Amino acid sequence: MAAKDDPIIIKKYANRRLYNTGTSTYVTLEDLADMVKKGEEFTVQDAKTGDDITHPVLTQIIFELENKDGQNMLPIPFLRQLIAFYGDQMQMIVPSFLEQSMIAFAKEQERFREQMKGAFGKSPIDMMKMTTPIKALEEQTRRNMEMFQNAMRLFTPFPPAGNNSAAAPSEPARKEAPEKTDDLQELREQIAAMQRKLDTMS
């Protein structure tokens, strides 16, 4: 018997039907989307093999939502950039970056909603202060992009070593190392600062 806090198991059958073992009912992708919005944890398993197929099913939900009129959230430039990262050196840090960005965004969004709940009946001066969460979201996005750009610089491939004849490049090469070290330290500090901000918003 699964514990109360364990994720609900959704079984996917060969006929593509989804079965919620928690409610003993068949569900749709739209039902799963509603569960996500309600914060209900679930994993999707292949009914025959038992393999965890949560990732492809969640991706399919996003695909379905993006194809509904007026629900597009992923701009074309973002999709192009995301596709370009597959197989790239940056692929290894993109998931972590996106995850941390969304966590920070969600926390700021929750703060904004709480302030909006208490906004009715307030004076115009108080209402003017409601722009603060929006500015915070914009600032968080800007800092995230700066951190990501710094990370991209770190993973930029070194110039091809096609010229081995002269010994002169050895001096610039020695100067290159401290700069890379400084960039790495800067990135670590930015990640640590971002984590501290997330902790304070918890």
Side-chain angles (χ1 to χ4, degrees), residues 162-197:
N163 190 356
N164 296 327
S165 56
S170 61
E171 185 63 27
R174 283 199 295 272
K175 292 180 180 177
E176 185 77 16
E179 292 177 7
K180 288 290 179 184
T181 304
D182 291 344
D183 283 346
L184 183 58
Q185 183 60 33
E186 182 183 353
L187 178 61
R188 285 174 177 160
E189 290 171 359
Q190 288 178 346
I191 292 174
M194 186 176 180
Q195 188 60 53
R196 285 195 297 272
K197 180 172 176 60

Side-chain angles (χ1 to χ4, degrees), residues 42-175:
F42 63 83
T43 59
V44 186
Q45 295 178 356
D46 184 293
K48 184 177 182 180
T49 65
D51 292 341
D52 189 328
I53 54 173
T54 307
H55 186 278
V57 169
L58 292 177
T59 305
Q60 188 179 357
I61 291 172
I62 292 173
F63 176 79
E64 296 287 340
L65 292 173
E66 282 290 309
N67 278 283
K68 285 188 176 180
D69 291 337
Q71 293 223 133
N72 305 104
M73 282 204 306
L74 304 177
I76 289 176
F78 172 80
L79 291 172
R80 291 184 190 278
Q81 187 65 71
L82 195 61
I83 291 169
F85 281 136
Y86 282 94
D88 186 87
Q89 288 177 316
M90 294 304 299
Q91 182 175 346
M92 61 185 289
I93 68 168
V94 169
S96 177
F97 168 77
L98 293 177
E99 182 179 5
Q100 292 302 319
S101 296
M102 290 304 292
I103 289 172
F105 183 84
K107 288 183 177 180
E108 290 291 345
Q109 180 193 45
E110 188 58 35
R111 250 182 19 181
F112 179 68
R113 283 177 174 168
E114 289 300 319
Q115 290 192 10
M116 284 297 289
K117 283 180 185 177
F120 297 101
K122 293 193 174 190
S123 68
I125 299 295
D126 291 330
M127 290 296 290
M128 287 174 65
K129 294 178 183 177
M130 295 302 295
T131 58
T132 302
I134 297 175
K135 289 179 180 177
L137 285 176
E138 292 173 350
E139 178 63 17
Q140 184 67 50
T141 302
R142 185 187 64 78
R143 284 198 303 269
N144 286 355
M145 287 309 300
E146 286 179 357
M147 183 182 75
F148 193 52
Q149 286 165 357
N150 287 337
M152 288 180 69
R153 285 206 310 269
L154 285 176
F155 284 85
T156 300
F158 291 103
N163 190 356
N164 296 327
S165 56
S170 61
E171 185 63 27
R174 283 199 295 272
K175 292 180 180 177

Side-chain angles (χ1 to χ4, degrees), residues 20-31:
N20 185 331
T21 61
T23 60
S24 301
T25 57
Y26 285 99
V27 293
T28 64
L29 289 176
E30 191 171 347
D31 293 327

